Amino acid sequence: MHPERKPDMRPIFLLFFLILLMQTGLAQKNDARPAPVNSRSLEISKSRSQLLDQFLENDQLGVMLGLDRIMMLEDDDYIALYPVEYWLLSYWAKDYEVILSSCKSLRLDSLTKGKQIIRIPPQQDYLGPKLIEKLTASRDSLISQINTASLTDEEKAFLKLNLIYLLPDPATPAAQQQQLNELADNLLAHYSESDYASFTREFIRIRYKETRNGSSYFLSFGKVLFTGNLVDYYKQPTFFGFGFDIVRNNWIYELDIDISFAKTKTDMPSDNELWPKNSKALGGYVKLAVGKYLLDTKKLALAPLAGIGIFGLDPNTNSEEANKYKGAGIKTSIAGSVGFTGDLKFKPKQSNYNSFSGYRGQQNSITSLRFGYEYIATPLKSKYLDYSGTVHKVTLGIAFSTRRLQRSL
C-alpha cells in the first residue's frame, strides 16, 4: 500500500498572502493624502510662467493666446496681470488697439478696487522684470514699428509717449521726468481735445506748482529815519531784527522784533541829570502785521502791510545808572504802521514735507533777499521835550521760506 499523502498547503498560503497584500494596498491608498486641487492662485502663477516662456521663445501666437487665457483668471479678488505687463506685451505683439482703448478709460488696476475690496496680487516672479529688460533693449525698434503702423498721427504720438513712460531711462529720474513733461506738453499742444489727454495729465506729466500757503523766518537790519526836530536830538538809529511769518491763501501774517542803536546829538533833560550829548540810546520796535501778496512770481514777491505794535527809544545805561537819566528819550508807546515787504527770490530747492499733523507732501525751500519800508505812526512822547517829526523804517535782510507744492494737471 502506498503511504497516505499529505494535502498540499502551498495554494492556501499563496491565497492568504495575496489577500494580505490587497488589504495592505487598500489601507495605504486610504491613508494617502488627497491629490492636490488646482487653486486660482496656482493657476495664475502657472499661466504667468508659461507666458514668460512663450515671450522668451518669441512665440507671438502663444503670447496672444496666453494673454486671453490669463485675463480670464482675473476678477474682483485676484490680479492676474499688472497693467504695465499687459501693455508691454501688447507693444511687443503690436496689438496697439488694446493699449489705446484701455488708456482712454483712465482705469488702472491696483491692489484695491474700491475702498473695501482687496485684490490678491500674483506671486512674485520674473515676468515684469524680463519684459522691461528685453523691451528697453529694443525700444528703438518698437518705436519704428509704431511709426509704420496703420494709425493716426495722434495715436502714434501717444503710443510713443506711453512707451517712454513705461520703460526706464539711463538718465536720472528728474531728467527723465523733464523729458516726459516736454513730450506730454507737445502732445497736449497739438491735440488739446485728444481722447488721451486725461491719461497724459493724470499719469505721465508730473508737474508741481507752489500753493499760496507757506511760512518763513528772516533776519534783517536797516535804518530808522527821523524827520522834524527829532533829527536835532538823535542820530538816525541802526537796527537789527528777526521775525517770522505765515502765509495762507496769499495773506501774510508777520511778527517782527527789532532792536535799534543810536546816539544823542545834544544834551537833553531827564529826572535827575542832563542826558549828555553822544550818549548811547537803545530802542525797540515790536509789531504784528497783516497783508496780502499782490505780486508773487518765481523771482519777486511784494505785499503791502499794516500793523500795530510798540516803539520807544531810551538811554542805554547799565543798571546802576538806570535812574540817572530816567524820563529822557522817546517814551515807549503804541505804534501803528503801514508799508510793504518784498522778496527777491533765489532758485528754490524741492524737498519732502512732513507736518506735525501728519500731512506729507512736496515743498519748495526758498532763500530770498528781503526788503521793506514802513511808516511808523507813534505819539513821540517825552516828559521834558516836545518832539515833532515822523518815523520811517527801511529794511534789508535775508529770508528763508517754504511753500507747499501741489500737483498741476
Side-chain angles (χ1 to χ4, degrees):
M1 291 181 61
H2 295 285
E4 185 177 344
R5 299 176 63 181
K6 294 182 179 180
D8 190 353
M9 303 294 292
R10 286 181 296 177
I12 298 175
F13 284 119
L14 182 59
L15 180 61
F16 176 77
F17 183 69
L18 290 174
I19 294 173
L20 183 61
L21 285 177
M22 292 175 62
Q23 290 177 341
T24 303
L26 289 172
Q28 290 178 346
K29 185 175 181 180
N30 291 333
D31 290 341
R33 295 180 180 178
V37 178
N38 286 336
S39 66
R40 179 68 64 91
S41 295
L42 292 176
E43 285 292 327
I44 290 174
S45 181
K46 180 180 177 181
S47 296
R48 287 174 62 88
S49 296
Q50 186 176 1
L51 194 60
L52 175 57
D53 293 338
Q54 291 167 335
F55 167 72
L56 294 176
E57 293 167 2
N58 203 29
D59 183 0
Q60 184 169 344
L61 179 59
V63 168
M64 301 277 294
L65 295 175
L67 281 173
D68 292 339
R69 181 173 61 253
I70 197 171
M71 294 308 295
M72 294 176 63
L73 297 172
E74 188 162 312
D75 58 19
D76 288 342
D77 294 317
Y78 290 89
I79 297 174
L81 205 63
Y82 291 112
V84 173
E85 297 168 336
Y86 189 69
W87 286 337
L88 290 178
L89 285 168
S90 298
Y91 271 110
W92 179 79
K94 304 179 186 179
D95 190 3
Y96 303 124
E97 290 299 328
V98 170
I99 305 169
L100 294 171
S101 61
S102 62
C103 290
K104 286 180 183 179
S105 64
L106 281 178
R107 294 184 61 184
L108 286 180
D109 288 334
S110 64
L111 295 180
T112 59
K113 270 194 173 180
K115 295 182 179 179
Q116 304 297 328
I117 300 176
I118 298 175
R119 303 184 71 204
I120 303 169
Q123 297 180 14
Q124 186 175 1
D125 56 28
Y126 288 93
L127 177 59
K130 292 302 290 185
L131 285 172
I132 293 175
E133 174 194 331
K134 296 293 186 180
L135 270 67
T136 299
S138 59
R139 181 167 60 177
D140 292 342
S141 175
L142 294 172
I143 291 176
S144 297
Q145 291 172 4
I146 294 172
N147 288 330
T148 58
S150 299
L151 300 167
T152 66
D153 290 341
E154 175 189 346
E155 292 171 337
K156 291 178 181 179
F158 174 74
L159 285 170
K160 288 185 286 187
L161 172 62
N162 191 44
L163 182 63
I164 296 173
Y165 165 64
L166 295 175
L167 297 177
D169 192 275
T172 63
Q176 182 181 14
Q177 189 58 57
Q178 179 64 28
Q179 179 193 18
L180 287 170
N181 288 345
E182 292 173 358
L183 293 173
D185 288 341
N186 185 59
L187 175 72
L188 296 173
H190 283 83
Y191 309 102
S192 58
E193 301 299 325
S194 172
D195 291 334
Y196 316 104
S198 296
F199 184 94
T200 301
R201 293 190 181 98
E202 184 74 22
F203 300 104
I204 298 178
R205 188 177 68 178
I206 300 178
R207 184 180 287 118
Y208 292 93
K209 65 178 181 180
E210 286 186 359
T211 68
R212 297 184 293 175
N213 300 323
S215 62
S216 67
Y217 66 92
F218 55 88
L219 305 173
S220 60
F221 67 95
K223 297 291 288 188
V224 177
L225 305 176
F226 292 145
T227 66
N229 69 2
L230 285 174
V231 179
D232 299 329
Y233 293 106
Y234 302 99
K235 295 181 180 179
Q236 308 287 15
T238 299
F239 74 87
F240 298 92
F242 65 93
F244 64 90
D245 57 58
I246 297 174
V247 180
R248 291 291 181 271
N249 293 323
N250 265 15
W251 284 90
I252 179 173
Y253 307 92
E254 180 182 277
L255 170 64
D256 190 8
I257 302 172
D258 299 323
I259 300 174
S260 57
F261 305 90
K263 283 189 175 183
T264 60
K265 297 175 70 173
T266 185
D267 294 341
M268 284 180 279
S270 68
D271 285 357
N272 298 311
E273 299 181 16
L274 282 177
W275 189 21
K277 179 181 178 180
N278 289 327
S279 293
K280 294 179 180 180
L282 179 67
Y285 178 46
V286 180
K287 78 163 190 304
L288 288 170
V290 62
K292 187 174 184 180
Y293 282 106
L294 300 181
L295 177 66
D296 191 7
T297 67
K298 291 182 179 181
K299 298 294 184 180
L300 178 64
L302 193 65
L305 289 175
I308 188 168
I310 55 174
F311 176 85
L313 187 68
D314 297 314
N316 184 11
T317 59
N318 58 41
S319 59
E320 294 179 358
E321 299 178 332
N323 294 322
K324 185 183 294 188
Y325 307 121
K326 187 176 181 181
I330 301 174
K331 184 178 181 181
T332 301
S333 304
I334 292 177
S337 68
V338 291
F340 67 86
T341 184
D343 288 295
L344 290 173
K345 302 177 185 179
F346 301 108
K347 186 177 180 180
K349 294 182 179 179
Q350 190 169 317
S351 59
N352 294 324
Y353 175 81
N354 296 310
S355 70
F356 293 108
S357 60
Y359 172 83
R360 295 183 178 182
Q362 299 285 319
Q363 68 178 10
N364 268 349
S365 298
I366 309 163
T367 301
S368 61
L369 182 65
R370 178 156 291 191
F371 59 92
Y373 164 79
E374 286 179 79
Y375 165 70
I376 302 174
T378 183
L380 299 176
K381 293 181 179 179
S382 175
K383 197 172 184 179
Y384 299 100
L385 296 173
D386 185 16
Y387 291 129
S388 66
T390 57
V391 181
H392 306 265
K393 176 188 169 189
V394 179
T395 301
L396 189 65
I398 187 168
F400 306 93
S401 307
T402 58
R403 284 293 185 100
R404 292 184 185 178
L405 300 175
Q406 67 180 11
R407 178 82 178 274
S408 176
L409 297 178

